[in-house]
Every structure is written in C-alpha cells, then in structure tokens.
Amino acid sequence: MNHHSRKSREVTSPAHHSNPVSDELEFSGKRAFVTGGTRGIGAAVVERLSRAGAQVAFGARSAPGDRPSELFVQADIGTRAGVEAISRHVARHMGGVDILVHNVGADGGEHVPLLGQADAVWQLVMDINVLGPARLDRALVPGMVERGSGAVVHVSSLSRSAPNPNRVPYGSAKAALTHYSKGLANEVAPHGVRVNSVTPGFTESDWGRSFVAAVADSSGSTYEEARQSVMARIGIPLGRPSRPDEVAELVAFLVSDRASAIVGAEHVIDGGSKPTV
Ligand SMILES: NC(=O)c1ccc[n+]([C@@H]2O[C@H](COP(=O)([O-])OP(=O)(O)OC[C@H]3O[C@@H](n4cnc5c(N)ncnc54)[C@H](OP(=O)(O)O)[C@@H]3O)[C@@H](O)[C@H]2O)c1
C-alpha cells in the first residue's frame, strides 16, 4: 500500500464513495497510473483514487519532496525514455494498470505570433500533449485489452476549441489529443476498455495560480486583481475558476464502474466558460 492510500483510508469525506453492496472502497484492488501526479489536477486525482482504495503510481519530472512514495517515478512524458521508464516502473511495481490518467500538459512557454513561432515549440507541445499519451497508451493499454477491462482518461483543454492568440500550438496539440482519445476509444471499446477525455477550463492549480501571478507581475496588480481580470476575460458564468479536486472528481467518476457505458466522450468542466453548445 502506498503512502497516499495509507493516509487516505483514515480520512472520511462526503466525496468518499464506497461500494453499496460490500465494505470495499470503490477502487479497492484497482491499479492506477497518473501522469503529472505531484501537483495540481494530477495530485488531486492521485489523492482521490487513493482515498477510494486504488493502488496509485504516478510520475513527474521532479520528485515530490513533501509526499515521498515508492510508487513515484521520475520521468519526462515528452520523451521515449520517459515513457519507457514509466512502463518499466508499472511492470515492476504493479504488473499492469486498470486505470490510466494522462494528466500532463504543456503550453510551450514561448508566446509569440504564429508566423514567428519556432519549430521547437511546436515539437515540444506535440511531444508532451500528444505523443507522450499515445506512447504510454501503446505500452499500457494492450494489457487492459488482454484482460478485457480498463479505463483511460486524457486531460485536454478548453483551448482546443477556441484559439487563444498566444497559445495556438498548445490548443492545436490538445485538439489532436481529443481527436486521438476518441479514435482510441473506438478501437478498444469492443475489448472492454473505456477511453474518455476531460476538458478543463481555467482551473486554479499550481499552473493556474502561476499564470495569474505572471499576469499580476506584468500588470503591477495584486494576485486578486489579476485573478478577477483573467476571469473577466475568459467569462466564467459560475463566477470562479474550477478547483483541482473538482476535476479529479469527474476523472474518478469516468474511470469508475458508475460510468460503465460512457465511451469516447469529451467531458467539459469549466464553470460554464465554453460559450457554445
Ligand atoms: N490549470 C488550468 O487552468 C488548465 C486548463 C485547461 C487544461 N488544463 C490541463 O490540465 C492538466 C493538468 O494541469 P495543471 O494545471 O494541474 O498543471 P500543474 O499544476 O502545472 O501540474 C502539472 C503536473 O505535471 C507534471 N509535469 C509537467 N510536465 C511534465 C512532463 N514533461 N513529464 C512528466 N510530468 C510533467 C508536473 O510536475 P514536474 O513539473 O515536476 O514534471 C506536475 O506534477 C494539463 O494537461 C493541462 O493542459 C489545465
């Protein structure tokens, strides 16, 4: 049992779903892998699945200083070597996975007009947002297909459907990820493996907070003023960003048997930001 599940079993919370027909927790006996599980949405998914009894391994580029776990693997999802390290780690510690959550995303960092955009940025966003998940699926989903069951979630972004002037490579890569997710769903659903995508809008994760902090820095405003201006620009009917644990709750639902007929569907979680149906 890992650090998270040990800790989590002592916690009682309204978000804790137990199996109504036995004393088992909902994900007891399930093995999961979460990419980017040390911060933000990924950390919330690790926590949520662990709390419900899953054995959860997770990866990131830097080790989590505050939450040491033998199930952590240090690997860059954007490289072949990183994906191989994850796949070896899963084979050694768990033998395979029943649940796979592709949470890592990267926006490329360098925001310049498209006609001046460098190949390196395009390559980076494709490597991390698309090729990483595709390679990791190629490594871990065949085991699910063999066993005739499994659930996969790809975390996309609302940017996939609305080009943000400064983040078109990122949005393009996420559009590719959503498309890929649907295609994989069609391919493996006949073998009992369900694949879905989750599309967050502005979420106050570590990334979301550092984005607001950067806006505050560049405009000389406070964090709260910058937060309000970011929200006003996006337009969030709910009146606030989503929280990582709210996105994790959706992911947990989708990988659970409660979602047993949900396949190849995109699930938007954005407080109503998406302006179209
Ligand atoms: N926050 C938002 O507003 C928002 C909106 C729409 C979509 N999303 C999507 O939601 C997902 C999670 O975002 P978040 O906001 O929770 O991010 P976050 O707070 O920055 O956390 C990212 C996590 O991924 C890890 N990571 C980053 N790059 C990696 C790499 N190349 N290889 C392995 N691990 C890596 C990070 O650890 P290390 O840095 O140590 O590697 C960290 O654990 C992403 O796919 C993002 O595109 C977020």
Side-chain angles (χ1 to χ4, degrees), residues 35-40 42-43 46 58-64 66-67 72 206:
T35 71
T38 57
R39 293 197 307 272
V46 170
F58 59 102
R61 290 164 306 177
S62 29
D66 55 330
R67 299 175 310 145
F72 170 75
D206 296 59

Side-chain angles (χ1 to χ4, degrees), residues 109-175:
E110 197 184 321
H111 307 301
V112 300
L114 278 175
L115 297 181
Q117 191 57 272
D119 277 6
V121 170
W122 280 104
Q123 194 61 59
L124 180 79
V125 297
M126 293 307 287
D127 280 346
I128 291 178
N129 297 295
V130 188
L131 274 165
R135 287 176 178 141
L136 192 57
D137 283 333
R138 238 158 41 199
L140 300 181
V141 175
M144 297 180 179
V145 167
E146 239 168 64
R147 290 186 296 279
S149 75
V152 179
V153 165
H154 298 106
V155 178
S156 187
S157 167
L158 213 53
S159 303
R160 82 157 191 88
S161 47
N164 174 326
N166 290 319
R167 285 185 167 73
V168 171
Y170 169 67
S172 305
K174 289 295 197 182

